[in-house]
Amino acid sequence: MNYLNEEQVRRNISSKKRIVIKVGTSSLTYVNGKPNLRFFNSLACQIMDLQNRGYEVVLVSSGAIAIGMPLLGFEIKPNNLPQKQACAAVGQGTLMHLYERFFHEYGGKVAQLLLTKGDALNPKRYLHASTTLDALLALGAVPIVNENDAVSADEIKVGDNDTLSAVVASICDADLLIILSDIDGLYDKNPSLHLDAKFISYVPEFSRAFLTMAGDAGTARGTGGMATKLKAAEICVRSGIDMIIANSHLPDVLMNLIDGEPIGTLFLAENVHPQMKKRKIIIGSTIKGKLYIDAGCKNAIVSNGSSLLPAGIVKVEGDFQEGDSVSVFYENEEIARGITYYDSQDIQLICGCHTEKLTAVLGYEKTYDTVIHRNNLMVIK
């Protein structure tokens, strides 16, 4: 198979539109757990400069537990789960305060989203996470995402914000994930143990054999390591998203990466059709009902990639709730599947209804103009 060479791929990075940036605990804090203010300042400055250049940026941030530890008197990370959760609860507020302070210095506005892996697996929660991220980015905010460590035992045990960043990149349909850490990128063996370790700057095709190169978790303050970063790379490339691992402490690392500088390890995305990206949230779900549409609506969906509007619906079958997966039929032919914004009873009311009349027909302020947004609608060829 013919792949683009590294220079071509690096040159194309500047054309990306939506970027997820993940930053680890070792980059955000010192060994004593205190925040690295110079790094916070540089990170905020670079992200706002990217936004000023027209990029949409989502930040996935570790650090809540590490920052909470010294505030509660811990010198090392506690093994006791409730104590970890207490550190996360205290540290998360401090972490967001720091981000607000530094982003505001550069004219930015930030928003906090606490997610778990379940938010990507449950269709309804996935739907709301996706639309919230879209809305924040459209309004010019920088969403700052972390796992909800204060209440989620499983996420603390896994402790894997590298994987979370790949999930977030998939949820928000990002073009690129950049993982910033205290390492330069991928080596063919552990460079701290092997002087002859060779740096790998470009991975045109991901293989699970790379996982054998991974070592253990990173620092005592963090929980990630190369293994979690390679798992994130696998999620990204299979979802059609390029990914880069780079050293967070390189000067202007984000700006230089976007400008195509040969920094870190670049994983090339697989050539995934946009419709295929939706299969994991649509095909894998149980179909709870059917929506029948008219010819004009069918043409708009199939030919123009439009959302499903209530005006085009002629009949509803089944009993389903908001966030369920449904089939879309024209006569006896299934043409699409998607995740609905409205339950079956409300759709019965708004069949054939134009957008401006939805609130009056429903009896409450409409939540969405569409029944199924095109981002959550997969045409069946």
Side-chain angles (χ1 to χ4, degrees):
M1 186 177 293
N2 294 323
Y3 297 103
L4 293 174
N5 63 44
E6 181 179 358
E7 184 179 352
Q8 290 174 303
V9 178
R10 296 271 186 183
R11 194 164 54 242
N12 291 339
I13 289 175
S14 63
S15 65
K16 306 295 184 184
K17 171 68 174 175
R18 183 170 290 185
I19 303 165
V20 175
I21 297 166
K22 186 266 177 179
V23 61
T25 299
S26 61
S27 302
L28 292 167
T29 64
Y30 293 109
V31 175
N32 62 7
K34 298 295 180 66
N36 184 336
L37 299 180
R38 184 168 60 177
F39 180 81
F40 272 93
N41 182 65
S42 174
L43 181 67
C45 179
Q46 290 182 77
I47 289 176
M48 287 310 302
D49 213 16
L50 289 174
Q51 190 183 82
N52 290 344
R53 288 172 61 178
Y55 294 99
E56 296 177 332
V57 181
V58 178
L59 177 61
V60 176
S61 175
S62 300
I65 293 177
I67 287 177
M69 282 165 46
L71 297 175
L72 293 178
F74 292 99
E75 294 184 1
I76 60 173
K77 184 187 292 186
N79 292 321
N80 180 279
L81 179 60
Q83 290 179 340
K84 285 184 183 178
Q85 292 175 318
C87 290
V90 171
Q92 188 63 41
T94 303
L95 183 65
M96 283 306 301
H97 175 72
L98 287 166
Y99 278 129
E100 287 177 345
R101 170 186 166 187
F102 285 106
F103 273 92
H104 288 177
E105 282 292 316
Y106 297 102
K109 44 186 178 284
V110 298
Q112 177 180 252
L113 277 80
L114 297 177
L115 302 178
T116 68
K117 291 175 185 175
D119 293 313
L121 299 176
N122 179 284
K124 184 174 180 178
R125 287 156 63 186
Y126 183 107
L127 185 70
H128 286 296
S130 176
T131 54
T132 299
L133 284 166
D134 284 343
L136 287 168
L137 291 170
L139 293 168
V142 176
I144 298 178
V145 184
N146 197 353
E147 285 187 304
N148 197 358
D149 289 341
V151 297
S152 179
D154 180 63
E155 274 63 39
I156 283 189
K157 286 190 293 184
V158 176
D160 184 358
N161 272 354
D162 292 324
T163 300
L164 179 67
S165 67
V167 170
V168 170
S170 179
I171 288 176
C172 72
D173 198 20
D175 304 306
L176 174 68
L177 169 63
I178 299 173
I179 292 183
L180 297 179
S181 188
D182 55 359
I183 54 177
D184 293 326
L186 177 65
Y187 289 80
D188 64 350
K189 58 185 77 172
N190 191 333
S192 63
L193 301 177
H194 303 276
L195 295 178
D196 62 341
K198 295 180 180 178
F199 184 71
I200 301 171
S201 65
Y202 180 48
V203 179
E205 182 178 18
F206 186 88
S207 167
R208 302 217 86 195
F210 286 116
L211 297 174
T212 63
M213 301 178 187
D216 297 326
T219 65
R221 290 168 289 136
T223 49
M226 185 53 68
T228 60
K229 290 167 180 57
L230 288 172
K231 290 176 183 176
E234 183 174 29
I235 293 171
C236 280
V237 299
R238 307 292 191 222
S239 301
I241 302 167
D242 290 335
M243 192 187 103
I244 299 174
I245 302 171
N247 194 316
S248 61
H249 294 297
L250 292 173
D252 294 325
V253 59
L254 293 176
M255 310 307 296
N256 290 330
L257 283 171
I258 297 302
D259 289 338
E261 294 294 323
I263 300 169
T265 300
L266 169 61
F267 296 83
L268 180 64
E270 292 181 359
N271 187 17
V272 180
H273 190 280
Q275 289 291 340
M276 293 296 293
K277 295 182 182 181
K278 305 173 186 179
R279 287 186 180 274
K280 59 183 174 293
I281 63 167
I282 297 172
I283 291 296
S285 303
T286 302
I287 301 300
K288 298 294 183 67
K290 297 179 181 179
L291 301 177
Y292 289 83
I293 61 175
D294 60 29
C297 186
K298 174 194 173 184
N299 182 64
I301 290 173
V302 174
S303 301
N304 303 324
S306 299
S307 300
L308 174 56
L309 300 175
I313 301 174
V314 297
K315 187 173 71 170
V316 183
E317 286 186 3
D319 183 12
F320 52 85
Q321 302 299 315
E322 171 197 3
D324 283 340
S325 293
V326 296
S327 292
V328 180
F329 278 76
Y330 172 67
E331 296 181 343
N332 295 320
E333 176 191 8
E334 184 183 21
I335 65 160
R337 293 183 182 182
I339 299 175
T340 175
Y341 282 136
Y342 290 96
D343 63 32
S344 53
Q345 293 182 341
D346 281 348
I347 297 176
Q348 291 279 9
L349 294 174
I350 60 177
C351 275
C353 184
H354 290 283
T355 301
E356 64 272 12
K357 298 181 180 179
L358 291 183
T359 298
V361 173
L362 289 168
Y364 64 87
E365 187 67 31
K366 71 179 188 300
T367 308
Y368 299 100
D369 292 336
T370 61
V371 173
I372 304 176
H373 192 276
R374 61 179 177 272
N375 289 348
N376 304 308
L377 186 66
M378 187 188 72
V379 176
I380 297 176
K381 300 296 186 180

